[in-house]
Amino acid sequence: MMERFADVEALGRAAAELFAGKAREAVRARGKFSVLLAGGDTPRRTYELLAGKPLRGRVPWEAVHLFWGDERCVPPDSPHSNYGMARKSLLDRVPVDPGHVHPVRCDLSPAEAAAAYEEELKVFFPGVPPRFDLALLGLGSDGHTASLLPGSPAVAEAVRWAAVAKRPEEAFSRVTVTLPLLNRASTVLFLVSGAGKADVLRALLEDGEAAARYPASLVRPVSGDLRWFVDAAAASALTGACGLP
Ligand code: 6PG
């Protein structure tokens, strides 16, 4: 289901409210809420709104467990760090239990970090398929999501829950969760903003053949909900052919 918002502020508010609602629902039902945070710029406003009134008081932070959908293998104080962005915009401002914050270990080599991250996920989901209550994802103009980059072997990973990825033009490697993990989430929410995403979003929502080239098209929750929160600029190329409102 796709929902269109005037701008990133309205999109961020709706995403923060969904996060809070899903958190309360999960904690009521199972005593904890597990979430995969997205990187990039779009989710920043969502995190800032969650850290402020009124939403800050509507999330059972002590029972929230946070992981990342992907991470750049850089120090946490690097401007490229998804963990660093979430720390500044959210984690330093809410009472999460530090033991419930699970960043990728960028002090290790990328391969060791991916293996350690998968181990940490397996400890969190002992003996059961990994079913995140909420997976937040962004969308790149090349159709990537998390760090499942077009042409990357990580896209085809069918067993491991975490893998290494690399953009040729970037000095750093990345660690990303894989589709077997993402597609088991209860709710996957894409947050998409900006005119630069308009063409790829139209393909993903309205042109199955064109979408097939994009890793984001492979995010198909096995038994969960797939939702898109998009701003007007990102939605500007949609024709309505997908039948989505
Ligand atoms: C990353 C992100 C990436 C991001 C998209 C969209 O680490 O690069 O996880 O997948 O979500 O590139 O980024 P924006 O929201 O900044 O457009």
Side-chain angles (χ1 to χ4, degrees):
M1 182 174 81
M2 189 267 294
E3 293 175 64
R4 201 180 311 223
F5 299 91
D7 51 29
V8 176
E9 180 70 21
L11 183 157
R13 188 164 302 285
E17 285 168 0
L18 183 143
F19 181 112
K22 293 291 183 187
R24 288 196 303 275
E25 184 184 301
V27 172
R28 263 198 309 272
R30 290 177 298 283
K32 61 183 173 184
F33 172 61
S34 57
V35 58
L36 276 173
L37 295 180
D41 295 328
T42 303
R44 185 194 313 273
R45 190 60 189 138
T46 298
Y47 303 160
E48 290 168 346
L49 289 164
L50 279 168
K53 290 181 181 173
L55 286 170
R56 184 182 191 281
R58 296 182 190 165
V59 177
W61 292 108
E62 71 288 345
V64 174
H65 296 254
L66 301 115
F67 291 79
W68 275 259
D70 69 325
E71 184 56 277
R72 295 80 175 271
C73 298
V74 296
D77 59 355
S78 161
H80 298 296
S81 172
N82 289 335
Y83 168 73
M85 183 273 278
R87 266 247 82 89
K88 290 189 194 82
S89 56
L90 177 60
L91 303 183
D92 287 346
R93 302 164 60 193
V94 293
V96 288
D97 179 334
H100 294 174
V101 179
H102 307 271
V104 174
R105 285 201 48 197
C106 295
D107 56 310
L108 302 174
S109 74
E112 290 167 335
Y117 201 49
E118 182 172 40
E119 278 315 302
E120 193 157 355
L121 287 161
K122 291 197 170 179
V123 166
F124 186 75
F125 293 108
V128 294
R131 188 167 175 80
F132 275 95
D133 294 307
L134 178 61
L136 297 177
L137 289 175
L139 177 67
S141 56
D142 62 354
H144 82 262
T145 189
S147 284
L148 298 172
L149 307 167
S152 166
V155 177
E157 177 56 57
V159 177
R160 305 287 303 276
W161 295 355
V164 176
K166 178 83 171 64
R167 276 189 186 291
E169 69 274 20
E170 291 176 338
F172 50 77
S173 293
R174 294 157 171 257
V175 170
T176 185
V177 297
T178 59
L179 290 163
L181 183 98
L182 280 175
N183 284 334
R184 289 188 182 279
S186 294
T187 298
V188 175
L189 175 60
F190 275 94
L191 306 177
V192 187
S193 68
K197 315 297 175 68
D199 290 341
V200 66
L201 186 67
R202 188 199 56 76
L204 286 165
L205 297 184
E206 299 184 347
D207 181 347
E209 194 175 325
R213 71 172 74 104
Y214 300 129
S217 69
L218 300 173
V219 176
R220 302 183 195 126
V222 174
S223 59
D225 290 332
L226 175 59
R227 301 188 61 178
W228 296 82
F229 282 6
V230 306
D231 72 359
S236 57
L238 295 181
T239 65
C242 63
L244 288 167

